[in-house]
Amino acid sequence: MVNITHKSNTLRKAIATAVVAVSSEATITAINNNQVPKGNVFEMSKTAGLFAAKRTSDMIPDCHPLPIEYTHISFEVKELEIHIFVEVHTIYKTGVEVEAMHAASVVALTLYDMLKPIDKGIEIRNIRLVEKKGGKTDYKEATEGLTAAVIVCSDTIAAGKKEDKAGKAIIAHLERYAVPATYTIIPDEVADIQNHIKQAVNKNTSLVLITGGTGLSPRDVTPEAVRPLLDREIEGIAETIRSYGQDRTPYSMLSRSVAGTIGNSLVIALPGSTKGATESMDAVFPAVFHIFKMLKGGRHD
């Protein structure tokens, strides 16, 4: 199966539909009058659909087992067609569109099986996804015009004794969203860190991402350098980074990541390890782009 361990849980929804076409009005009458020999068509097929939604990962090899939090199945009869609608919700790392379509197909097959003794001309048509919400599809904020500055804070890297990987990983992550970035390596000095942040802000840089210096060694001074410059601290970003990391390593609680705004620039101090920086980016992007809409006076939905 595809690796989804880097993703975060969000509310995911999907609606799927299928159509069962019968060959005569007599079949529709039998359904409405509950005269189908095999029983109540709608109740039986609805039950089958509920089972199907929960068992999708047992049937489709690449689907992940996930918690089904809500399933609603409804029917609409239009002349000689029975339209099936299945809505599925979960709070998980991946979507439920296949679960919804699988349930819709099983509902349709159950209708076929129950009606075939009285109608030999049944067809199943148009199993398809109607709508999906959740995950990255919820974050459609345009990144056009955004710029970034990536600042690597490390005495050893600045001295040429070690190769930077964290900063380059951050740049690679930004490239997914077509956000261009400048790249600077500096030592762990408060004055240097503050000067580079101010330079980036003065150039109207949208994102200032600092990696390194958020630990507890005597030379880890990034939070002390960043925090006095902030107009408003955004505690939730740092909390999300630590919470996301804590699910992957117990040492995440020791990180002192900090985030906030300076004017219309967002400044985030990230861990210095490649893994820590990458996971921190996974934790808050692309959702963090919504802040630029808010800074322009947009609604906080």
Side-chain angles (χ1 to χ4, degrees):
M1 292 186 292
V2 174
N3 184 7
I4 60 171
T5 56
H6 63 285
K7 294 186 176 183
S8 299
N9 287 355
T10 59
L11 176 60
R12 320 270 182 152
K13 302 178 182 180
I15 300 174
T17 186
V19 176
V20 174
V22 302
S23 63
S24 72
E25 186 65 40
T27 303
I28 298 297
T29 300
I31 295 170
N32 290 334
N33 293 336
N34 199 20
Q35 294 175 336
V36 176
K38 287 193 174 185
N40 189 301
V41 172
F42 291 145
E43 290 303 317
M44 189 70 76
S45 59
K46 182 184 292 186
T47 301
L50 294 173
F51 285 143
K54 292 185 285 186
R55 298 289 297 276
T56 301
S57 62
D58 293 340
M59 302 293 107
I60 312 298
D62 220 26
C63 278
H64 295 80
L66 49 75
I68 300 296
E69 313 275 2
Y70 172 81
T71 303
H72 181 261
I73 300 171
S74 60
F75 305 91
E76 185 176 344
V77 178
K78 297 180 179 179
E79 297 180 346
L80 297 183
E81 292 184 340
I82 303 169
H83 291 250
I84 302 158
F85 299 92
V86 179
E87 182 171 353
V88 180
H89 298 186
T90 189
I91 297 177
Y92 198 59
K93 300 176 182 180
T94 189
V96 284
E97 56 268 33
V98 176
E99 283 73 11
M101 287 189 287
H102 180 227
S105 67
V106 170
V107 172
L109 283 169
T110 304
L111 285 172
Y112 177 92
D113 179 65
M114 296 188 72
L115 295 173
K116 67 182 180 181
I118 64 172
D119 192 331
K120 303 303 181 184
I122 302 170
E123 292 183 3
I124 296 174
R125 304 171 181 169
N126 301 328
I127 299 170
R128 64 185 180 89
L129 181 68
V130 176
E131 180 182 315
K132 64 172 288 188
K133 293 182 179 180
K136 64 182 180 182
T137 57
D138 277 358
Y139 303 108
K140 296 180 180 179
E141 285 80 10
T143 58
E144 184 179 354
L146 297 185
T147 57
V150 176
I151 303 171
V152 179
C153 299
S154 170
D155 291 334
T156 55
I157 294 174
K161 298 178 181 178
K162 183 180 176 183
E163 180 186 357
D164 167 59
K165 294 182 180 179
K168 293 175 182 176
I170 292 171
I171 291 173
H173 202 113
L174 291 170
E175 287 175 351
R176 300 181 197 175
Y177 309 106
V179 177
T182 60
Y183 175 69
T184 310
I185 298 173
I186 62 174
D188 291 299
E189 296 288 350
V190 170
D192 284 344
I193 297 169
Q194 291 185 336
N195 285 337
H196 279 80
I197 292 172
K198 290 175 183 177
Q199 289 174 23
V201 170
N202 289 338
K203 293 177 182 177
N204 297 315
T205 305
S206 312
L207 278 163
V208 182
L209 301 176
I210 306 149
T211 176
T214 62
L216 293 166
S217 77
R219 293 289 291 167
D220 288 333
V221 295
T222 299
E224 286 75 19
V226 172
R227 192 168 274 116
L229 301 181
L230 299 178
D231 296 330
R232 291 184 293 180
E233 187 168 350
I234 308 173
E235 292 86 349
I237 292 177
E239 290 166 4
T240 298
I241 288 171
R242 281 187 283 271
S243 176
Y244 184 94
Q246 196 68 22
D247 287 338
R248 291 152 179 82
T249 171
Y251 303 134
S252 179
M253 62 183 175
L254 303 178
S255 172
R256 298 189 301 130
S257 292
V258 62
T261 58
I262 304 174
N264 289 324
S265 298
L266 173 62
V267 181
I268 308 176
L270 306 171
S273 71
T274 305
K275 186 179 181 209
T278 300
E279 290 180 351
S280 297
M281 294 292 287
D282 287 336
V284 299
F285 284 83
V288 78
F289 288 130
H290 185 65
I291 193 171
F292 298 106
K293 179 180 178 181
M294 298 170 66
L295 289 172
K296 292 178 181 178
R299 288 180 57 193
H300 174 44
D301 296 323

